[in-house]
């Protein structure tokens, strides 16, 4: 079927099979390879994007389901080589990434988390990011990054 | 603490250069690579652990309109590629021809126009199997009458791979015979998997016109891969270009060559098009390099007042169906020989026997530093068991036995020369940070009060051995473990550093620039670090075993010093003085006694490329190369303390606190070191409490997805509390030791010791990882568990 999705403000209309996963649509049809695939059981969250502003794991959404909807990927946060989004900046400042593979999904989940809860506690950040696995950072600096992005003092 | 916004001219906290692209989704990982006409491969895998292959019918798959090629073991046999050498000198089936030897083993490879069609076509291949009895329990692998897995090997009538020993057996037996106290404990370090977030994959592009193969692949050792492909496929090495782009974590999973890589190359040769192969998570867990799987019988001897005298150990190592373990040739059990740990003892001996079972190959992976995870876990559990038996505090027992600073360089009883260490200082710092005495008081009160909530305090003191290694002793498949570095300073004073190591997130692009900055006074921002492309970088063995800083870090400092010396000659010509009259300060040479008369490294770089007349024999330009052959390993160390709360009713363990003091000598970038430690500590929590790959009696893999193979999330990890001491490596050019794997090596024992400390009043002396709620509950009921088998 022909799928038309607004991705980062631009409409991508492509013919795809019904079974095409949104993550493959974004990576292969829209050419946005920031969104990653880390598992096959909806466990890791590396493919997290915003669908109409809500964070979803794009490996578990069909492209067809996103037809007519609005998707934001990590590439849409700081278009081109412009200023980093506050969450991106905080990840760099707090060393919240290493290999960088979970980072796009982690950042999108964090953006969503802060939209729902602008001043989360550390525990709330941990709960909010439970759906995103990271193998490099041990999460500590990611929590710091989200706290910093929320404008709160990072005390440890 | 955060990094400074200012870029340090050398060592210090500095934001990462690589972050700019990763944060924007602009990294370039293997699956991001798209080439004109690129096809997609997929692997058909064995549903059986052990079965004869009677027939493989690919006709229906070949008839699929989008399929371009179907490759079977028979296809590969025709190219003499059905088997490939492993890093342990064994062979591994690329695609099975005679029989399958583990569930998930590669049987056929489909090349199709898109990834969905490739997967569809797998369903159309009809393989007829005749199931055989599998060997699942390593402890029964050597039984008379056990099914023989490797009947492909000539003369092989059993499942025995190797016997290896280290230490002085006679002396150790004597020490044990005369010891007042001997504590004995069997323990399993269960099979786990490194599970990098990005799985393994490759894009192979064989250009039929130039005859050149380019392969983008998830490899931690691109140069070694190039050489192996040359040897295996018979391709000339200058016609092979291995590109390891951004890698989404390695953790030892991406050291070896996997059948999928070879199949993508063959697929490209057969179709004349680039072929991408990207495994999914379950394939990664079931078929790529596992870690650990050591069944250890440990013994520790001491006096009644707790002077440790000796350690004796027998290991049964489950290597799976092919011995694919990655380690230096002369070390079939890796560096397990450092099992005497951080203690001053009289004698030690270890025997390791490797066996085949019907499981995936691997063994050395997951930040193990070549089996040091196992060695440290063994000795740190044994010390705790001894403390338990003697009724001594485990911190006190360790403090009585740790090596003292004046004993370094220390020759261990198994032949390792520890470079430097101040162990008591590190342990005392960790105990102070955690408030050890107060915690013991709290624990005593809690025990007094009774109830379901149990509190445990555990610790581990570890000595690592990283930076393989001296080429005289250490090689992989005959390739000595020295690494090259090339540094070129451009006319305008910017520089490019080319390395043989390959970052998978450890921040090499930042830290190696900092080493050059420290040595030459060129800003790290002005230094590009190139790695991962065999056409552009000097030969070397890659990144694993925390060897980057010890080996390539040293090479980088040495090559920068060579450039500095060349710069001195150029500066002398510029200033019209003798080179002997010059003195260096970071970034410039100046005339002794006249600070104003000097030339910056940038001025010198331009002059080196100009018409300046240089002394006879000096070629000009500003560059140098180096191959660094390390004189010894580096021996970082650490003291870890973990506090847990255990619910005796459910068996649930909550890590309340974790204090980690690491000493890796000079810290090039403390921010990055801390991140490395954080990640490794999470590994420890995961292995100790959650991760395990068990098998059922038919050899079915029971940890084959993230639904069953559990990784720690943000909820299982506490906020880590880090401390540091600095004891430089005396033999390393900048005094730096490796550190990447320290936390993974040191932390599992600390967590397990903490849980068992909590269970101590219930009469539990030992229980094996992973200490899941079920396992903890069983231990509290006095029930035995075998965490490696579904049915104990």
């Amino acid at each position: 079927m022909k799928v038309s999705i607004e991705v980062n403000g631009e409409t991508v209309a492509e013919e795809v099979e019904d079974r095409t996963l949104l993550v493959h649509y974004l990576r292969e049809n829209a050419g946005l390879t920031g969104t990653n695939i880390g598992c096959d059981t909806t466990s890791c969250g590396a493919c997290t994007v915003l669908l109409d502003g809500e964070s979803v794991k794009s490996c578990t959404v069909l492209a067809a389901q996103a037809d007519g909807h609005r998707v934001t990927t990590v590439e849409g946060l700081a278009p081109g080589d412009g200023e980093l989004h506050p969450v991106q900046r905080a990840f760099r400042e707090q060393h919240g990434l290493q290999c960088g593979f979970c980072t796009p999904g982690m950042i999108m989940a964090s953006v969503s988390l802060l939209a729902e809860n602008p001043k989360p506690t550390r525990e709330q950040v941990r709960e909010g990011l439970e759906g995103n696995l990271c193998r490099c950072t041990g999460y500590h600096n990611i929590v710091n990054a989200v706290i910093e992005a929320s404008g709160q003092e990072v005390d440890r | 603490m955060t990094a400074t916004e200012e870029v340090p001219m050398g060592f210090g906290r500095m934001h990462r250069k690589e972050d700019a692209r990763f944060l924007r989704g602009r990294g370039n990982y293997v699956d991001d690579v798209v080439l004109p006409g690129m096809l997609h491969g997929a692997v058909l895998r064995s549903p059986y652990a052990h079965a004869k292959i009677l027939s493989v019918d690919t006709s229906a798959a070949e008839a699929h309109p989008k399929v371009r090629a179907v490759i079977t073991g028979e296809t590969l046999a025709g190219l003499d590629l059905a088997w490939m050498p492993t890093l342990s000198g064994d062979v591994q089936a690329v695609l099975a021809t005679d029989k399958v030897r583990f569930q998930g083993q590669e049987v056929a490879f489909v090349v199709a126009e898109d990834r969905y069609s490739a997967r569809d076509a797998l369903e159309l291949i009809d393989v007829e199997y005749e199931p055989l009895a599998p060997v699942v329990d390593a402890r029964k692998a050597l039984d008379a009458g056990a099914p023989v897995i490797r009947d492909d090997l000539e003369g092989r009538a059993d499942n025995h791979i190797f016997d290896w020993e280290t230490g002085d057996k006679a002396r150790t037996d004597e020490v044990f015979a005369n010891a007042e106290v001997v504590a004995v404990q069997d323990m399993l370090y269960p099979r786990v998997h490194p599970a990098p977030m990005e799985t393994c994959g490759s894009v192979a592009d064989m250009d039929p016109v130039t005859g050149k193969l380019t392969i983008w692949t998830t490899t931690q050792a691109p140069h070694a891969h190039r050489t192996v492909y040359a040897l295996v496929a018979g391709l000339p090495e200058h016609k092979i270009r291995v590109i390891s782009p951004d890698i989404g974590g390695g953790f030892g999973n991406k050291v070896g060559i996997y059948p999928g890589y070879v199949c993508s190359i063959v697929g490209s040769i057969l179709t004349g098009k680039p072929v991408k192969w990207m495994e999914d998570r379950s394939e990664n867990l079931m078929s790529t390099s596992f870690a650990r799987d050591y069944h250890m019988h440990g013994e520790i001897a001491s006096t009644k007042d707790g002077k440790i005298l000796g350690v004796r150990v027998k290991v049964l190592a489950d290597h799976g169906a092919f011995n694919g373990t990655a380690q230096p040739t002369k070390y079939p059990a890796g560096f397990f020989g450092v099992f005497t740990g951080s203690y001053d003892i009289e004698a030690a001996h270890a025997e390791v026997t490797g066996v085949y079972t019907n499981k995936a190959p691997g063994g050395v992976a997951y930040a193990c530093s070549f089996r040091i995870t196992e060695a440290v876990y063994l000795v740190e559990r044994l010390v705790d068991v001894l403390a338990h038996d003697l009724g001594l505090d485990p911190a006190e027992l360790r403090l009585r036995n740790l090596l003292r600073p004046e004993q370094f360089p220390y020759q261990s009883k198994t032949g390792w020369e520890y470079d430097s260490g101040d162990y008591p200082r590190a342990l005392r710092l960790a105990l102070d940070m955690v408030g050890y005495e107060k915690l013991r008081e709290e624990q005593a009160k809690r025990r007094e009060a009774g109830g379901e909530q149990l509190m445990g305090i555990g610790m581990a003191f570890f000595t690592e051995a990283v930076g393989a290694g001296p080429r005289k002793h250490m090689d992989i498949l005959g390739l000595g473990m020295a690494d090259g570095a090339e540094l070129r300073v451009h006319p305008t004073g910017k520089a490019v550093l080319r390395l043989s190591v390959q970052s998978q997130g450890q921040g090499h692009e930042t830290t190696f620039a900092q080493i050059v900055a420290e040595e030459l006074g060129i800003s790290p921002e002005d230094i590009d670090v190139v790695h991962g492309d065999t056409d552009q970088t000097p030969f070397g063995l890659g990144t694993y075993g925390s060897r980057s800083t010890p080996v390539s870090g040293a090479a980088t400092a040495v090559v920068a010093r060579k450039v500095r010396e060349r710069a001195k000659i150029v500066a002398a010509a510029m200033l019209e003085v003798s080179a002997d009259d010059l003195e260096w300060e970071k970034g410039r040479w100046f005339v002794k006694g006249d600070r104003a008369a000097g030339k910056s490294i940038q001025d010198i770089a331009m002059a080196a490329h100009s018409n300046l007349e240089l002394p006879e024999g000096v070629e000009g330009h500003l560059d140098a190369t180096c191959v660094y052959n390390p004189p010894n390993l580096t021996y970082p160390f650490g003291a870890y303390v973990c506090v847990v709360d255990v619910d005796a009713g459910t068996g649930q363990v909550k890590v309340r606190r974790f204090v980690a003091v690491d000493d890796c000598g000079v810290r090039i970038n403390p921010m990055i070191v801390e991140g490395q430690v954080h990640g490794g500590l999470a590994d420890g929590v995961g292995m100790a409490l959650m991760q395990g790959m068990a098998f059922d009696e038919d050899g079915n893999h029971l940890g084959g997805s993230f639904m069953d193979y559990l990784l720690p999330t943000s909820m299982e990890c506490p906020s880590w509390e880090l401390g540091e001491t600095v004891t430089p490596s005396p033999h390393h050019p900048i005094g730096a030791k490796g550190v990447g794997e320290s936390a993974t090596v040191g932390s599992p024992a600390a967590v397990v010791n903490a849980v068992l400390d909590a269970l101590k009043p219930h009469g539990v002396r030992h229980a094996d990882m992973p200490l899941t709620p079920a396992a903890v509950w069983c231990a509290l009921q006095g029930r035995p568990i075998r965490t490696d088998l579904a049915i104990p």
Side-chain angles (χ1 to χ4, degrees):
Chain A
M1 66 178 285
K2 184 142 186 178
V3 176
S4 176
I5 305 174
E6 188 192 316
V7 184
N8 301 333
E10 284 182 33
T11 299
V12 180
E14 293 266 338
E15 193 69 37
V16 295
E17 292 182 54
D18 294 356
R19 62 178 173 171
T20 303
L21 299 174
L22 178 59
V23 67
H24 287 133
Y25 186 87
L26 293 171
R27 290 179 53 82
E28 293 173 14
N29 296 82
L32 297 168
T33 54
T35 304
N36 288 323
I37 301 169
C39 75
D40 45 17
T41 49
T42 321
S43 311
C44 80
C47 63
T48 303
V49 299
L50 303 184
L51 181 62
D52 296 332
E54 288 276 333
S55 71
V56 296
K57 292 181 177 179
S58 62
C59 75
T60 314
V61 177
L62 294 170
Q65 289 174 290
D67 186 31
H69 292 270
R70 185 165 49 86
V71 171
T72 310
T73 69
V74 72
E75 290 94 337
L77 289 182
D81 54 2
E83 276 283 289
L84 291 174
H85 182 280
V87 173
Q88 290 171 312
R89 206 160 55 226
F91 269 68
R92 175 169 188 264
E93 174 68 32
Q94 295 291 335
H95 188 35
L97 67 154
Q98 291 179 29
C99 81
F101 201 77
C102 78
T103 308
M106 199 67 85
I107 285 175
M108 298 316 287
S110 301
V111 168
S112 168
L113 165 66
L114 291 174
E116 281 177 29
N117 184 357
K119 299 285 175 201
T121 64
R122 294 184 72 87
E123 199 52 32
Q124 285 169 338
V125 173
R126 288 181 179 276
E127 282 168 15
L129 297 179
E130 196 187 10
N132 291 72
L133 294 174
C134 170
R135 300 290 292 140
C136 294
T137 66
Y139 304 104
H140 184 108
N141 289 347
I142 290 175
V143 177
N144 285 352
V146 178
I147 294 291
E148 177 174 310
S150 75
Q152 302 181 88
E153 197 68 30
V154 179
D155 54 357
R156 55 175 190 156
Chain B
M1 221 188 292
T2 61
T4 57
E5 275 302 334
E6 281 169 30
V7 174
M9 189 64 84
F11 303 155
R13 288 176 186 276
M14 172 185 161
H15 291 135
R16 297 200 323 164
K17 299 170 64 163
E18 40 274 79
D19 288 356
R21 62 181 188 275
F22 293 150
L23 288 167
R24 291 177 166 90
R26 297 289 293 273
N28 185 37
Y29 302 94
V30 169
D31 202 17
D32 301 344
V33 173
V34 177
L35 300 177
M38 187 176 78
L39 303 173
H40 295 262
V43 174
L44 181 71
R45 294 174 182 279
S46 169
Y48 292 104
H50 201 189
K52 254 190 212 169
I53 294 178
L54 300 179
S55 64
V56 182
D57 180 357
T58 60
S59 52
E62 279 166 32
H64 187 288
K66 291 192 171 172
V67 167
R68 299 286 193 89
V70 181
I71 298 164
T72 64
E74 204 178 324
T75 323
L76 293 183
L79 301 165
D80 207 17
L81 284 174
W83 296 80
M84 63 179 182
T86 69
L87 297 177
S88 282
D90 193 359
V91 289
Q92 173 176 357
V94 177
L95 293 176
T97 47
D98 51 345
K99 63 178 188 178
V100 288
R101 293 173 172 83
F102 66 91
Q103 187 183 52
Q105 189 183 336
E106 300 79 1
V107 175
F109 188 77
V110 167
V111 180
E113 287 170 23
D114 63 75
R115 71 174 81 220
Y116 284 60
S117 300
R119 299 274 168 160
D120 286 343
L122 295 182
E123 308 290 323
L124 301 173
I125 300 173
D126 191 13
V127 184
E128 202 180 340
Y129 295 99
E130 180 187 312
L132 302 168
V135 179
V136 179
D137 187 346
R139 296 180 199 192
K140 295 177 181 166
L142 298 178
D143 287 358
V148 178
I149 298 168
R150 295 301 302 282
D151 46 0
D152 59 296
L153 298 173
E154 201 162 315
R156 178 72 59 178
D158 60 24
N159 296 313
H160 180 261
I161 308 175
F162 67 87
D163 289 313
W164 175 84
E165 66 175 313
T166 187
D168 186 334
K169 183 169 171 41
R171 177 79 187 109
T172 307
D173 288 348
E174 191 187 325
V175 164
F176 272 81
N178 297 321
E180 291 170 339
V181 179
V182 173
V184 182
Q185 185 61 55
D186 283 339
M187 62 189 89
L188 168 70
Y189 206 135
R191 179 175 280 234
V192 290
H193 193 282
M197 286 300 298
E198 178 206 35
T199 59
C200 299
S202 52
V203 178
D205 184 15
M206 181 65 171
D207 186 324
V209 177
T210 62
K212 181 147 183 169
L213 168 70
T214 305
I215 178 165
W216 287 259
T217 183
T218 48
T219 175
Q220 298 177 220
H223 288 276
H225 276 216
R226 185 189 67 192
T227 304
V228 173
Y229 289 137
L231 295 172
V232 174
L235 295 166
E237 201 163 355
H238 67 299
K239 294 283 192 186
I240 305 173
R241 180 182 182 190
V242 177
I243 299 174
S244 186
D246 290 325
I247 301 296
F251 314 111
N253 190 223
K254 295 167 178 171
V255 175
I257 291 181
Y258 294 118
Y261 303 162
V262 178
C263 287
S264 67
I265 294 170
V266 174
S268 182
I269 291 171
L270 293 182
T271 61
K273 301 282 184 188
V275 173
K276 177 184 281 184
W277 167 71
M278 204 71 218
E279 69 188 2
D280 63 28
R281 176 55 57 191
S282 60
E283 296 179 285
N284 176 255
L285 292 172
M286 289 174 73
S287 70
T288 64
S289 184
F290 74 92
R292 325 291 188 254
D293 218 345
Y294 259 33
H295 299 256
M296 302 185 279
H297 174 79
E299 301 176 320
I300 188 165
S302 82
T303 64
K304 275 186 285 196
D305 55 0
K307 169 76 189 101
I308 299 172
L309 305 170
V311 180
R312 190 163 61 181
V313 52
K314 281 190 181 175
V315 177
L316 180 68
D318 185 339
H319 280 231
F322 308 102
N323 189 20
T325 309
Q327 79 273 293
T329 306
K330 291 175 194 161
Y331 300 84
F335 301 164
F336 187 76
V338 300
F339 69 94
T340 60
S342 313
Y343 308 103
D344 187 10
I345 61 174
E346 288 178 23
H349 184 254
E351 294 173 23
V352 181
T353 295
V355 296
Y356 291 120
T357 60
N358 287 112
K359 299 172 192 170
V364 165
Y366 204 174
C368 78
S369 310
F370 303 116
R371 300 289 190 187
I372 295 180
T373 32
E374 289 89 328
V376 164
Y377 182 72
L378 172 94
V379 68
E380 288 306 296
R381 275 302 297 135
L382 283 179
V383 169
D384 258 41
V385 166
L386 179 64
H388 176 280
D389 290 2
L390 292 171
L392 270 177
D393 183 280
E396 176 57 29
L397 181 59
R398 284 181 174 83
L399 283 168
R400 283 185 202 176
N401 287 284
L402 287 175
L403 291 164
R404 298 178 312 278
E406 63 273 18
Q407 288 177 282
F408 294 87
Y410 170 77
Q411 193 72 35
S412 89
K413 292 295 183 283
T414 48
W416 300 78
E417 191 184 291
Y418 297 7
D419 57 351
S420 62
D422 187 344
Y423 296 176
R425 184 164 64 124
L427 181 53
R428 289 207 175 90
L429 175 59
L431 296 173
D432 284 351
M433 282 175 64
V434 82
Y436 188 65
E437 279 170 27
K438 275 222 164 70
L439 283 171
R440 285 292 180 202
E441 284 165 21
E442 181 194 343
Q443 184 184 45
K445 272 186 205 149
R446 296 256 301 257
R447 283 182 177 167
E448 186 94 357
E452 296 265 282
Q453 296 303 312
L454 313 176
M455 174 181 168
I457 309 158
M459 68 197 66
F461 195 101
F462 65 90
T463 301
E464 260 270 45
V466 298
R471 73 185 339 157
K472 182 177 166 194
H473 306 295
M474 294 173 189
D475 68 272
I476 287 186
L477 288 181
L479 303 169
M481 300 186 80
D483 278 56
E486 294 175 7
L487 178 63
R488 191 183 300 165
V489 183
H490 300 316
T492 54
K494 318 290 182 189
V496 56
L497 173 72
R498 298 170 192 278
L499 296 171
S500 57
V501 288
Q502 169 59 29
S503 177
Q504 316 116 47
Q506 300 94 327
H508 293 165
E509 289 169 38
T510 303
T511 53
F512 281 76
Q514 288 185 272
I515 298 173
V516 175
E518 179 75 22
E519 297 295 334
L520 287 183
I522 297 174
S523 168
E525 302 281 16
D526 290 340
I527 300 159
D528 218 19
V529 176
V530 177
H531 57 93
D533 180 341
T534 57
D535 270 8
Q536 290 201 49
T537 56
F539 189 88
L541 286 201
T543 295
Y544 43 84
S546 303
R547 64 188 301 278
S548 294
T549 294
V551 187
S552 285
T556 298
V558 170
V559 84
R561 287 171 193 178
K562 285 186 181 181
V563 165
R564 198 164 73 198
E565 286 310 300
R566 174 98 65 86
K568 185 183 188 181
I569 297 168
V570 176
M574 291 170 81
L575 294 162
E576 296 179 343
V577 295
S578 159
D580 295 338
D581 292 336
L582 295 180
E583 198 171 321
W584 174 258
E585 66 178 347
K586 200 185 279 186
R588 66 195 288 268
W589 284 106
F590 65 92
V591 180
K592 280 178 198 164
D594 183 7
R595 280 200 110 74
K599 293 291 177 189
S600 73
I601 190 76
Q602 287 81 11
D603 293 341
I604 296 168
M606 184 57 85
H609 291 83
S610 73
N611 58 2
L612 176 74
E613 195 153 336
L614 293 169
E616 189 70 27
V618 178
E619 291 180 337
H621 295 188
L622 202 49
D623 53 26
T625 66
C626 161
V627 176
Y628 190 78
N629 179 29
N632 189 7
L633 303 180
T634 65
Y635 294 77
F637 56 92
Y640 291 174
V641 185
C642 176
V643 185
V644 298
D645 294 305
V646 180
D647 185 318
T650 63
Q652 184 79 38
V653 177
K654 174 84 184 162
V655 178
R656 190 204 303 181
R657 290 183 62 196
F658 201 113
V659 165
V661 172
D662 274 276
D663 187 326
C664 56
V666 171
R667 293 188 172 205
I668 298 163
N669 184 329
M671 178 194 84
I672 285 179
V673 171
E674 287 161 11
Q676 293 285 291
V677 173
H678 290 163
L681 296 176
D683 289 344
V685 168
M687 280 183 276
L689 303 180
M690 304 166 73
Q691 297 170 6
M693 300 202 305
F695 291 79
D696 72 10
E697 58 193 347
D698 295 322
N700 289 309
H701 190 299
L702 302 180
S705 84
F706 281 170
M707 304 297 277
D708 305 297
Y709 186 71
L710 302 181
L711 300 172
T713 73
S714 50
M715 294 302 287
E716 283 79 39
C717 295
S719 284
W720 315 109
E721 302 168 58
L722 306 192
E724 67 173 270
T725 58
V726 177
T727 312
S729 173
H731 65 73
H732 190 274
I734 56 173
K737 304 182 183 186
V739 71
E741 296 166 319
S742 286
T744 311
V745 162
S747 57
V751 181
V752 170
N753 284 343
V755 175
L756 292 169
D757 182 59
L759 305 188
K760 192 175 160 188
H762 293 255
V764 179
R765 187 170 181 259
H766 176 78
D768 284 324
M769 298 184 280
L771 294 168
T772 60
V776 170
W777 191 83
C778 282
L780 283 167
Q781 312 307 310
R783 297 190 191 179
I785 44 168
R786 277 289 296 274
T787 57
D788 56 331
L789 298 175
I791 304 158

